[in-house]
Amino acid sequence: MTDESPLLSVRGLTKRYGAHLGCLDVGFDLWSGEVLGVVGESGSGKTTVLNCLAGSVEPSGGTALYQQRDGRRVDVLRMAEAARRRMLRADWGIVHQNPRDGLRMSVSAGANVGEPLMALGQRHYGRIRGAALRWLETVEIPVDRVDDLPSTFSGGMQQRLQIARNLVAQPRLVLMDEPTGGLDVSVQARLLDLLRSLVADLGLAAIVVTHDLGVVRLLAHRLLVMRRGEIVEAGLTDQVLDDPHHEYTQLLVASVIHP
Amino acid sequence: MYVAVKGGEEAIAAAHRLLAQARRGDPAVPELSLAQIEQQLGLAVDRVMGEGSLYDRELAALAIKQASGDLIEAVFLLRAYRTTLPRFGSSQPIETAAMTVRRRISATFKDLPGGQVLGPTYDYTHRLLDFELAAPGEAGRAPESPAVTPPRRPETEPLPRVIDLLDREGLIENEAPDPADRRVGDLTRDPLTLPAGRDVRLQSLARGDEGFLLALGYATQRGYGRNHPFAGEIRLGEVEVELCPEELGFAVTVAEITVTECQMVNQFKGSRVAPPQFTRGYGLAFGHSERKAMAMALVDRALRAPELGEDVSAPAQDEEFVLYHADNVEASGFVQHLKLPHYVDFQSELVLLRALRSQA
Amino acid sequence: MSGYNFAFLDEQTKRMIRRSILKAVAIPGYQVPFGSREMPLSYGWGTGGVQVTASLIGPDDVLKVIDQGADDTTNAVSIRSFFVRTTGVRTTARTREATLIQSRHRIPETPLRAGQVLVFQVPIPEPLRWLEPREAETRKMHAVEDYGAMHVRLYEDITRHGKVAQTYDYPVRVNGRYLMRPSPIPKFDNPKLDRNPALLLFGAGREKRIYAVPPHTSVQSLDFEDHPFEVETWREPCALCGAAGVFLDEIVVDDKGGRTFVCSDTDHCAERRGRRSGIRP
C-alpha cells in the first residue's frame, strides 16, 4: 500500500452559525506521517474546522475523504454516527486542550491508558497493564503512579496521560486542540519535544490547531493560516513563517515576542 | 437445630388484617364517607386526580380513604385502576379561554379587562389555627357570616387572557399549534424516549410529583437556571370536555371538569434575526391546584432552555434528570423496594468481603 | 376478581408486550422499550416481571413464583396470590412441575428443561448505567458495541482488590454481541444462563424495558483471560439436606454469633430431604 493518495482530503468545509461564519470553504490534504498546523487567533475558525472533523459540530457543507485501513475512502462528514464512533475509536485520536475532557478522572491512570485496548477487545489484564506501564514510561510519567487517579496529577502530567491514552491503540490520525495550552512554558517545551519524537517514531498524521506559532514551528511540517473563517495562506511551515506573503500572516509573525 | 421457617402466606394475610384495622381506627369514631372526603378534603382529591391522571372525584376520595390519607399511595391506587379502563378515544383540546372562571389573577398588570377575581384562595389568610373548626357539632351549625355568592359571569363574555393581550402586541413568543396530523405523544401508552417533545414533557410534569416540581421550580428562582418569571395569569374554573365520535362527525360535550391553568411570562429573548420577545412557561392541573400549576410552568420553561439557546447548567433544565424522576409512583416503588429481601445478594457480598479480608 | 380481564391486563396490552418479547428474543440481550403499565404492585417490586408473566400466562399454565430462591418469602406470596386472583391458574412450589416461573434474585438449582419459561424481575436493566447516567448515551454505546468502559470497571477492581468486586447482577455478553445485566442474581447463578434449554425473559417495569436470552444461547460473564470468572463457594454443605455446590443462605442462630448455612432454593432442598427420607414434606 503506497502513500500516493492523501490520508485525508478536505474540500469546501463550511460552517455557519446563523449569520455568523464559523469557517468557509476550507480545503487541504494530509498525508501519513505529516503534521499539519492550523494557526490563527480566537475566532479564526481553526477550532471549528477541528470540531467538524471530530464530529462534535455538524458542518453546513463540504467533504472530508478519509482513506481507511482497507484502502477504501469514506466521507467522514457523512458517515452514520455508529460507523463514525467506531472509526474514531479504532483509527483516530483526539487530544483536547483540557485533559479532563479526554480522560476519565475517576479511574486510575492505568485504566485510562488501558481502556482503548479493552475497547478493541483485549482481554488479558497483565498484558493490558504492561502496555499501560510502557506508555507511562514513554510519556515520562513515573510508573509508580499507574494506579493513581488523574485528579492527583499536575496539568502537564494529565496532558501526557491523555496523549498516552490516545496513542496506545496506534491511531493513524490524531487531532490536537491547543495541546500545550494552559501549561507552564517549561512544561510546554518538554511536551512538544515528546510529541515531536512520538509523531516521528510512530509515523502519525496529525492536525494541530493552535494560536501559538512556537508550537507549529516545532511540530508542524506544513501550515494553514486562518482568519475570520477562511484560509489566507498555506505552505511549508518554515517558508510561511520566515517569508509570510499575506499581510495577516506578516502581522502574526511580527507579533510574536522574541525573548 | 435450625428449622426452615415457613408460613409467609399466613403472615401476609395477618398483616393485611392488621392494616385494615389500622385504617379503620377506633370503631367508636364515625367512619369517613366518600362524600365527606370529596367535599371537605377537596384539595387532596384534586391532587390525587392530577397525579393519578384520572378525573373522578369519587374514585379519588375512595383511594384516599383506602390509603389512610397517604396521597402517593392513593395516586398509586388510582393509576392502577386507570390501567384497566378501556379507551374510547381522545377528546378535543380543552379551551381554557372559554372557561367559566371562578378565580383569575395576574401579577403582570394591576388591572385588566375582567378585573382581578380573587375567588376562593388561601393566599391572604393568616395561618392561625382556627379552633372553631375543632368544636364538635360544627357540621350542623349555620355559618356565622352570610354565604358568599360569587358574581355570575355572563356566558357570552369569556374572560380574555393576559397572554393574548401581550400576544396581540407581538411582545410574547408565538405558541403555534402543531400541524393537525402530528400524533400527540402518550405517556400512558408509550415509554418515554429522549429527547422528548414538549407534549410528552408537559404530560410528565402534569403527572409528576408536586413536591419534586415545587423544589425544582424554587431552585430556578434561586439561581439554578433562573429565567425571570412573572405570573402572567392564573385561572381556575370549569371547562367542557368534548369528544368528536366518528359516527357523528361533530363534537359533543361529555364532561365538565375543573382545572387550574398558569401561564408564566419569562425572560425575553431575541436574536440578530428576531426582535426580543417574552418567553413562556405553561402549567395545567386538575381541580384547584395553583402550587402545582405554577411549579409546572417554572419547570416547563426551564426545560425549554436548549430550544431557546440557553446553557443547560441546572437540574431543572436537565430533561433526563427531571422527566425520569418526576413520577412519584415509580420513585416510591423503587425507594421502598429496598425493604424487600436482598439477602441472597448480601450473602454474595459477605462471601467476597470475608475473602478479601482473609487475603489482606 | 370480577370486572378485570384474565391476568389483569387487557388483551391489547398483552399483545403489545408479547410483540416486545418477540423482538427481544430476536435480538438476544438487547433492551426493548415497552409501554409499561401501572400495576397494582409497586414499581420496583416486580411489575416488569408481572407484566411479562401476565402477557404469557394461560389457563393451562402451572406457575411458580420465588424470591431469594424461596416460594414463601413475602413478595413471592404476594405475586403468586395476585395471579391466583386474576387467573385461577394452578400454582406449584416444584420447579419440575412449573411451566412458567417468575423469580426475583435467583435461578432455581433444579435444571430447567425445554418448554419452561423463567421470568426475571429487573430493577435496573442498563449495564452501563453506573458508568454513564445518560440513557441517550448508553443506547449509542450498545449500538456501536462501545463496551470498553465496562472492562475498565473490572480492571479497576482487580487493581484495587486483586479480584472483581461485582458479586451479583454480574454483567454478561449475550450471543457474543450485547452486554446485559442478568438482574441481581448472585454471580453463582450466572453459569446457569449459558445455553439454558429454557426461555429466559427479563422484565423491568419502572424502567420500561424487556430483554431475553433465547434457549441454547451463549451467555459469557465478563472477565479477563488471566483473571477468569469464578463463583462463590462455602466451606460446608446445607445443614438441612447436605447439598454442596448450591447457593446457601446464612442464618444467625443464636446471640453468640452462631451460624448455620441452608439452601436458598427451598424446593430443591425439600426435594432432596424427601428423597433421603422417602417422603416429601
Side-chain angles (χ1 to χ4, degrees):
Chain A
M1 177 77 21
T2 62
D3 277 343
E4 298 166 348
S5 43
L7 187 63
L8 182 69
S9 279
V10 177
R11 297 285 179 270
L13 184 60
T14 302
K15 173 65 184 176
R16 284 178 218 282
Y17 295 95
H20 173 69
L21 199 62
C23 63
L24 179 65
D25 209 23
V26 168
F28 60 85
D29 288 324
L30 182 71
W31 275 265
S32 266
E34 77 161 343
V35 179
L36 180 71
V38 183
V39 297
E41 298 167 310
S42 316
S44 59
K46 60 191 194 302
T47 308
T48 306
V49 168
L50 202 74
N51 288 336
C52 287
L53 292 174
S56 49
V57 148
E58 175 98 28
S60 312
T63 57
L65 291 176
Y66 168 71
Q67 185 175 72
Q68 299 176 293
R69 288 182 202 260
D70 60 9
R72 281 185 306 170
R73 299 190 2 137
V74 63
D75 183 1
V76 159
L77 303 177
R78 271 164 197 73
M79 280 175 105
E81 185 167 2
R84 186 179 215 160
R85 283 167 75 119
R86 259 192 291 264
M87 182 200 76
L88 282 174
R89 230 192 310 156
D91 266 23
W92 287 24
I94 304 180
V95 176
H96 300 263
Q97 177 172 4
N98 188 341
R100 301 178 101 88
D101 294 333
L103 291 172
R104 284 196 197 274
M105 299 306 286
S106 58
V107 303
S108 66
N112 268 283
V113 179
E115 182 176 353
L117 298 176
M118 293 187 258
L120 290 173
Q122 286 201 29
R123 293 285 174 266
H124 193 282
Y125 175 83
R127 283 200 286 266
I128 293 166
R129 190 178 170 78
L133 287 166
R134 280 195 304 279
W135 270 98
L136 288 184
E137 245 185 315
T138 305
V139 298
E140 292 167 29
I141 291 177
V143 293
D144 61 359
R145 313 260 352 230
V146 65
D147 297 330
D148 292 348
L149 294 181
S151 48
T152 64
F153 287 13
S154 67
M157 258 168 74
Q158 286 179 355
Q159 195 55 297
R160 289 161 182 281
L161 185 63
Q162 199 200 167
I163 288 164
R165 177 177 161 92
N166 268 286
L167 298 184
V168 69
Q170 297 172 329
R172 300 166 81 218
L173 172 62
V174 182
L175 305 173
M176 298 196 214
D177 185 11
E178 304 280 8
T180 57
L183 299 175
D184 292 340
V185 173
S186 58
V187 175
Q188 280 189 37
R190 271 177 66 197
L191 193 65
L192 285 173
D193 267 343
L194 175 68
L195 281 172
R196 192 161 64 152
S197 51
L198 282 175
V199 166
D201 292 342
L202 300 172
L204 287 178
I207 301 175
V208 180
V209 160
T210 179
H211 66 275
D212 189 335
L213 296 185
V215 170
V216 292
R217 175 80 80 172
L218 210 57
L219 278 188
H221 301 101
R222 285 190 300 122
L223 199 56
L224 299 177
V225 181
M226 289 189 70
R227 177 177 184 250
R228 296 210 191 135
E230 299 185 71
I231 296 176
V232 299
E233 190 157 357
L236 296 178
T237 305
D238 288 342
Q239 282 179 5
V240 171
L241 294 182
D242 292 339
D243 182 22
H245 290 332
H246 193 280
E247 56 180 71
Y248 177 68
T249 319
Q250 292 166 354
L251 190 64
L252 271 186
V253 172
S255 342
V256 173
I257 299 167
H258 294 283
Chain B
M1 165 62 187
Y2 174 73
V3 177
V5 172
K6 293 192 83 61
E9 225 159 320
E10 282 143 42
I12 291 191
H16 287 333
R17 286 196 299 274
L18 263 179
L19 177 65
Q21 250 174 258
R23 193 194 52 70
R24 179 61 185 87
D26 184 352
V29 173
E31 186 176 345
L32 276 174
S33 73
L34 296 191
Q36 283 174 313
I37 296 173
E38 193 268 316
Q39 283 292 305
Q40 294 166 43
L41 295 179
L43 299 182
V45 168
D46 291 341
R47 177 170 175 181
V48 169
M49 291 196 300
E51 292 173 13
S53 297
L54 189 65
Y55 196 101
D56 189 315
R57 299 190 69 80
E58 196 179 54
L59 283 179
L62 173 59
I64 292 170
K65 179 174 176 178
Q66 188 173 331
S68 301
D70 180 338
L71 294 188
I72 295 181
E73 188 62 37
V75 167
F76 188 6
L77 284 167
L78 215 57
R79 290 258 195 103
Y81 184 73
R82 186 190 196 286
T83 299
T84 66
L85 299 174
R87 270 298 171 93
F88 296 125
S90 299
S91 71
Q92 305 287 93
I94 56 173
E95 186 52 80
T96 52
M99 182 190 282
T100 307
V101 169
R102 285 192 277 134
R103 169 166 159 76
R104 191 284 293 266
I105 53 160
S106 169
T108 48
F109 296 97
K110 177 164 174 180
D111 203 354
L112 55 163
Q116 304 269 17
V117 182
L118 292 185
T121 173
Y122 279 97
D123 286 353
Y124 310 104
T125 60
H126 299 141
R127 270 65 169 187
L128 302 167
L129 279 177
D130 183 356
F131 293 99
E132 305 235 315
L133 289 176
E138 186 267 342
R141 217 197 301 146
E144 293 286 331
S145 46
V148 181
T149 317
R152 288 207 63 86
R153 178 123 254 114
E155 302 208 347
T156 51
E157 208 193 281
L159 229 43
R161 288 193 287 213
V162 174
I163 299 297
D164 295 343
L165 299 175
L166 293 171
D167 207 5
R168 236 172 278 139
E169 249 193 274
L171 292 173
I172 193 161
E173 61 174 342
N174 221 358
E175 197 94 278
D178 283 326
D181 56 353
R182 186 186 165 285
R183 197 178 146 267
V184 174
D186 187 344
L187 259 190
T188 64
R189 297 271 121 170
D190 307 313
L192 180 67
T193 52
L194 296 178
R198 190 147 178 237
D199 51 352
V200 168
R201 287 208 302 262
L202 287 171
Q203 281 173 36
S204 179
L205 297 180
R207 291 154 63 87
D209 184 74
E210 181 176 316
F212 181 63
L213 295 187
L214 182 64
L216 288 174
Y218 177 47
T220 65
Q221 290 179 283
R222 294 194 67 255
Y224 290 86
R226 186 158 170 70
N227 48 51
H228 300 270
F230 288 92
E233 178 157 336
I234 296 172
R235 50 167 66 192
L236 160 76
E238 284 64 52
V239 291
E240 292 186 342
V241 179
E242 297 185 308
L243 192 65
C244 189
E246 265 176 36
E247 304 89 334
L248 290 181
F250 55 86
V252 288
T253 301
V254 295
E256 186 185 70
I257 62 173
T258 304
V259 293
T260 305
E261 180 188 58
C262 172
Q263 307 228 41
M264 288 286 182
V265 177
N266 299 85
Q267 177 66 55
F268 53 80
K269 281 234 109 50
S271 67
R272 250 168 295 245
V273 292
Q277 289 178 308
F278 288 113
T279 53
R280 302 174 185 243
Y282 188 77
L284 185 72
F286 284 154
H288 189 179
S289 312
E290 289 176 32
R291 189 185 309 116
K292 171 63 180 282
M294 292 176 77
M296 181 172 159
L298 289 175
V299 177
D300 172 46
R301 174 58 179 81
L303 288 175
R304 295 183 61 216
E307 163 199 336
L308 294 168
E310 294 167 344
D311 265 337
V312 173
S313 57
Q317 300 168 312
D318 183 331
E319 185 178 71
E320 202 164 314
F321 181 80
V322 173
L323 299 186
Y324 269 115
H325 305 118
D327 188 312
N328 55 26
V329 176
E330 286 181 23
S332 171
F334 200 48
V335 166
Q336 297 200 78
H337 108 284
L338 293 174
K339 292 184 279 193
L340 286 180
H342 283 77
Y343 56 79
V344 165
D345 296 339
F346 190 68
Q347 176 64 206
S348 300
E349 297 278 84
L350 277 175
V351 169
L352 176 66
L353 191 61
R354 286 171 177 155
L356 292 175
R357 286 169 63 87
S358 67
Q359 270 174 200
Chain C
M1 209 160 104
S2 69
Y4 291 101
N5 195 28
F6 181 86
F8 184 77
L9 296 173
D10 60 277
E11 293 303 313
Q12 299 284 51
T13 300
K14 289 186 198 174
R15 222 165 283 148
M16 178 273 296
I17 295 174
R18 287 197 293 260
R19 275 197 293 265
S20 304
I21 293 173
L22 285 175
K23 184 164 181 182
V25 169
I27 315 172
Y30 169 75
Q31 300 163 52
V32 179
F34 80 107
S36 179
R37 304 280 190 256
E38 266 94 7
M39 301 295 286
L41 301 143
S42 268
Y43 280 121
W45 296 55
T47 59
V50 167
Q51 287 180 81
V52 169
T53 301
S55 68
L56 296 177
I57 197 166
D60 298 330
D61 272 303
V62 180
L63 177 69
K64 173 177 164 81
V65 183
I66 49 172
D67 183 352
Q68 313 291 296
D71 300 86
D72 84 331
T73 41
T74 48
N75 201 43
V77 168
S78 170
I79 291 175
R80 189 168 53 244
S81 76
F82 170 77
F83 280 112
V84 167
R85 283 177 74 187
T86 57
T87 66
V89 143
R90 186 157 86 85
T91 64
T92 181
R94 300 189 188 192
T95 306
R96 291 185 204 285
E97 283 180 11
T99 57
L100 197 49
I101 301 170
Q102 180 166 332
S103 172
R104 178 169 172 268
H105 294 194
R106 284 267 10 239
I107 298 180
E109 305 286 355
T110 309
L112 300 174
R113 53 168 205 280
Q116 285 182 308
V117 180
L118 177 55
V119 179
F120 294 82
Q121 297 176 204
V122 177
I124 308 266
E126 178 51 67
L128 301 165
R129 184 59 65 228
W130 311 119
L131 294 154
E132 178 49 69
R134 331 222 109 229
E135 172 72 9
E137 182 57 27
T138 51
R139 284 186 82 76
K140 284 187 198 161
M141 289 166 86
H142 281 291
V144 299
E145 272 186 271
D146 193 353
Y147 294 144
M150 199 68 221
H151 279 90
V152 165
R153 173 120 178 221
L154 301 186
Y155 172 101
E156 285 293 85
D157 280 353
I158 294 171
T159 302
R160 258 188 255 286
H161 311 291
K163 44 174 76 187
V164 177
Q166 188 78 19
T167 62
Y168 56 87
D169 212 352
Y170 192 102
V172 297
R173 199 79 185 258
V174 180
N175 205 30
R177 176 56 177 89
Y178 280 94
L179 192 65
M180 184 189 97
R181 288 174 87 129
S183 86
I185 54 177
K187 60 178 179 164
F188 182 85
D189 282 343
N190 274 25
K192 300 186 181 75
L193 297 165
D194 189 32
R195 300 192 196 283
N196 198 305
L199 173 62
L200 310 176
L201 298 178
F202 299 79
R206 191 184 45 85
E207 296 273 339
K208 305 173 182 39
R209 299 282 186 275
I210 285 175
Y211 48 102
V213 175
H216 306 294
T217 304
S218 111
V219 179
Q220 297 302 307
S221 300
L222 297 196
D223 62 5
F224 287 98
E225 289 163 21
D226 51 343
H227 283 84
F229 174 76
E230 52 183 31
V231 298
E232 303 88 318
T233 52
W234 286 261
R235 273 194 291 262
E236 44 205 272
C238 169
L240 294 178
C241 75
V246 295
F247 197 95
L248 300 179
D249 292 336
E250 184 170 328
I251 318 279
V252 182
V253 288
D254 56 42
D255 56 10
K256 295 189 224 44
R259 278 165 167 67
T260 189
F261 291 85
V262 298
C263 281
S264 145
D265 185 333
T266 50
D267 171 54
H268 184 75
C269 192
E271 194 182 67
R272 280 179 58 87
R273 279 179 281 140
R275 266 194 288 190
R276 281 198 309 181
S277 66
I279 44 163
R280 187 62 201 272

